[in-house]
Amino acid sequence: FIYAVAAAVTWGLVYAIDQKILTKVSPLSLLFIDAVLAIIVLSPVLLWDAGSVKTLLASGKENLWLIFLSLILGILANFFIFSAIKTLNASTASIIEITYPLFVIFFSFLIFRQAINMYFALGALLIFAGTIIVIKFG
């Protein structure tokens, strides 16, 4: 729970900062700089924790395919949110993006056959309704 709240606070700060950055650079430029800095910052971590990287790489073809797919989708997601922040603004883009739990529920059911209970459906409906209210009346 604490990690999830910390992620929400951190992402909120990142989006606000990205809005300022994106007034002067393109989404692709920011995406590239983010990737380069991530490599620089995380390289020592990978060297320090090489065992888990080996375990990950030996986890099987299906898992490697999912890792590759997740990486590509993550890059696309970052490009799309940077583009949305640049085009709309950080607040509006984040309100629209916050509907992603709907898609998590949908794809978890579709791909992994994870059950959807009444609470997930109600939560998804509330997220969608809240997003519509903020966009239409906010």
Side-chain angles (χ1 to χ4, degrees):
F1 180 80
I2 291 171
Y3 289 141
V5 171
V9 170
T10 306
W11 278 119
L13 182 57
V14 166
Y15 280 24
I17 292 169
D18 286 348
Q19 180 176 327
K20 181 73 172 166
I21 294 168
L22 288 163
T23 61
K24 296 185 172 128
V25 300
S26 73
L28 280 174
S29 297
L30 182 56
L31 187 61
F32 177 77
I33 294 299
D34 277 1
V36 169
L37 291 176
I39 289 169
I40 292 168
V41 170
L42 293 176
S43 290
V45 175
L46 290 175
L47 294 173
W48 177 70
D49 195 17
S52 66
V53 174
K54 288 179 185 173
T55 302
L56 181 69
L57 294 175
S59 64
K61 280 186 177 183
E62 180 181 348
N63 204 35
L64 290 176
W65 168 247
L66 290 174
I67 292 166
F68 175 76
L69 183 60
S70 177
L71 176 67
I72 297 301
L73 291 171
I75 291 168
L76 281 172
N78 278 324
F79 171 74
F80 292 145
I81 195 60
F82 290 161
S83 297
I85 290 169
K86 184 173 183 81
T87 305
L88 303 170
N89 62 52
S91 299
T92 304
S94 69
I95 290 296
I96 295 168
E97 189 215 10
I98 202 62
T99 62
Y100 80 87
L102 301 172
F103 298 100
V104 172
I105 294 166
F106 174 73
F107 289 123
S108 293
F109 171 76
L110 187 67
I111 298 169
F112 302 113
R113 299 294 180 217
Q114 185 176 7
I116 299 174
N117 64 34
M118 179 182 71
Y119 299 108
F120 279 116
L122 180 60
L125 181 63
L126 289 172
I127 290 168
F128 185 73
T131 301
I132 296 299
I133 289 168
V134 169
I135 290 171
K136 186 164 177 117
F137 302 108

